[in-house]
Amino acid sequence: MHRRTARALSVVAGLLAAATTLVPVAQAAPVPLPTPWTDQVSPSNALPEYPRPQLVRPEWLNLNGTWGFTGAPNLNSPPIGRPLSENVLVPYPIESMLSGIKRHEDNMFYRRTFTVPSTWDGRRVKLNFGAVTWETKVWVNGTSIGSHTGGFDAFSFDITPALKAGENEIVVGVASPVDGSRYPVGKQRKSPSGIFYTAASGIWQTVWLEPVRAEHITRLDTTPDVPGGALDLVVQGTPGQQATAEVLSGGQVVGTATGAVGSHLRVPVPNARLWSPDDPFLYDLRVRLPGGDVVTGYFGMRSLGKAMVGGVMRPLLNGKFVFQLGTLDQGYWPDGIYTAPTDEALRFDLERQKALGFNMVRKHIKVEPARWFYHADKLGLMVWQDMPSLDSIDEVPNGHANYESELRRMIEQHKDITSIVQWVPFNEGWGEYDAGRIVDLVRSIDDTRLINHNSGSNCCVSDPDPGNGDVIDDHAYQVSIGTRQPDARRIAVLGEYGGLGRRVTGHEWEPGKGFAYGALYPDETSLTNRYVEITEQVGRFVHGRGLSASVYTEPYDVENEVNGFYTYDRRVLKMSEARVREINQKVLAIAKGTEVGRGELLSLRVTTAGYTDRYLRHQDDFVRTDVLGEGSADLGKKDATFWARQGLADASCLSFESRNYPGHFLRHASSRIRKDANDGSAQFAGDATFCAREGAGGTALESFNQPGAFIRHYAATVYLARSGGPNPWDTPSSFAADTTWAATIPLWRSGADLPLDQARSFKVTTPGFTDRFLRHRDGLARTDVVNAGSAALLKADATFVVRRGLADPSCYSLEARNYPGNFLRHADFRVRLNGNDNTDLFRKDATFCAQPGAGGVRLASVNELGTNMRHYAEEVYVATSGGGHPFDNPVSYDQDVTWAVSAAWAP
């Protein structure tokens, strides 16, 4: 047995024997995959932290620990006054190893005793539950206290009338049938498999007692008003009371207000320090009632919204567009399932995501304990909060009513969370119904945050888009297809992508059964390479397709899903932290405007309102802006495409080389921007170097040798301009917009030219194999030796007619010389010859963009991201360097993907 497993087993055995008044149980079940915190859990320290950071009272009694437990046929006969046959560690779900039960029960009872501290005399006593799945009934000293339905919300009972002196008894009955669509369950299943996981039944968050005054506070609803310099506060609690609220910073009161419970109070917050991922500053809040009840909490001053920024609908944080770069965080643990073993473990997941360079977390189809949100607030991670889904599309009695009731409670209980920036009622259509009405329902509860009606509305079982949400959300796992673009009212996001997998021996839920949402990668390097490739595409989409957010699947493995940065036990980071952080920071910089894709082709789009269909292009050596699009002439699109090069005068800045005039660069001369050949002089280098600065929704390009002057369009002409300078093009009117450019996906995607509608052959350039040519045989592409003496059939098979790309006219498709209408295409990475069936998939599979290679031309796939046509052991694939397949071997990759365009063997 593994040493870690043995230690964790001893912990569980100890907790099960801890309560001497309870009947001993059988040996604990084996630990499948212990985390670094598993062996820190014991009956005396099961989640000891105060569980409710937003409504804190100094006196409380934690009831986590060992309780009696038994399964039951129903909840009709509570075991009042008698010991139960097993022990369970609360608050871990009964299916979890940490609970000591490790099985599912549809119905169950918990029992324990407690003594109320004598210092609580004269006050009411509340019994609080963080969350229980699903129907809960409570008895204290044999008296029925009440019931509750809902698996993700906190609830309380006043148990004062049932208490007695000395020892008191609590019995909790829970019904958790899980399957059947009666209530929201998210990804829980009784029989887990694939993307659905082990159920989490019963008590799964902290249970505690607290004394309260007869007149007391029950909730603090906080809404920051940044423009108004105030906190809008509603104190929920006993009606008829006057509440006094104080805002504190560093222990000093900075604002105060008094008003009736249930009414709106405006508490001044002068010169507010704003909360953001870069500066997650939180104010303290203290509220008191005249009768003596005092609670404390916190909040962040930040504003949310959406607006046109650089001609694109964008989400706003504190009035600015901040790209939301996040992960799909599902909140599962191998030892505690729904419940993190310790608070340190709960915080660890968020800390590591922040360390990897993310600024957002999508909490996927689960609602976490209050302390998780506290950590997100403190760390500065924006949160998209999903509503846990029903497990079916079809209505069952009360299913929709339960869903809407729990949705309302989820929002109401989390309106005071600073980090939540978006509500997500549905995912990929799971359990989706009346989506338009549900959006309106959510907005009626909270109109301060964006609403994403259905993440992945392009996918799966989604209903038609109702159009009244704030978000267009696509799921595209390999990011090779273009996401939908924003419209005049809604932002566009990539709600899920990635799903890249790697198994790590010794850290698998079920060894050998791990799967991913694509290929499995053999090592850290290949997995990281692929992450960098697909995340670079996310960066291209920020301005190229108006993308405002992305969500990578996922921070850690979940059961047999091995898509994580970390293994399920959180012990192994499967990618290079430095490289992940580097590309993540690059995406955020691209969105901010301080970076563009170095070494790549791009086009520069105007962002000024009313002119966003115009692009910077050169014409007769001078630079101007013209309306360009899909139907524009080739020349115009080529003139508007540039290589983003390292700055000629400063490597930290940029120079823009003409795509169709190699060696010619954009430069300024006599205030005009023009295209000229590089003469190698220092003057030219300075004139042709521009530094990327944050613009008004894109990139402002500041002159390297004339600081304070920027590339600006003015009356269709492009100048080097200085706001408020002496020239007409220096006018300050719309200066910020006119000097902001969106660095987009290039209008002409090929960086090398092939001769259209002419027959050519493609020769291998790898040393030792230069007598071989690309050819088709028996429907498959391969390389063979071809020379003047070769058979006519072989020569014909090695000849292709260069056509415009079937999927993109700026790229190419290769039609067989001797099989008209048949094209080279890839399928399952293998390149083959097939007849054109005119489907969208075929057109993309058969389209390749020509790029400069290592002494020839690369043929890059348009829809298998990051791949090029490569010969490998005579066969031909679309391959990436250092990927997960044998043909992705990085050895001689650059030569193997480079082809010499030769005269046709069969003209």
Side-chain angles (χ1 to χ4, degrees), residues 591-613:
K592 192 174 182 180
T594 55
E595 181 58 273
V596 299
R598 306 290 181 102
E600 297 185 3
L601 288 171
L602 56 77
S603 294
L604 296 171
R605 181 178 58 79
V606 170
T607 65
T608 307
Y611 300 92
T612 55
D613 55 353

Side-chain angles (χ1 to χ4, degrees), residues 63-76:
L63 296 184
N64 292 344
T66 304
W67 293 49
F69 181 84
T70 186
N74 53 54
L75 303 184
N76 296 334

Side-chain angles (χ1 to χ4, degrees), residues 674-691:
R674 48 184 296 128
K675 172 195 67 69
D676 285 331
N678 181 7
D679 62 12
S681 68
Q683 181 66 46
F684 184 95
D687 291 348
T689 299
F690 302 90
C691 302

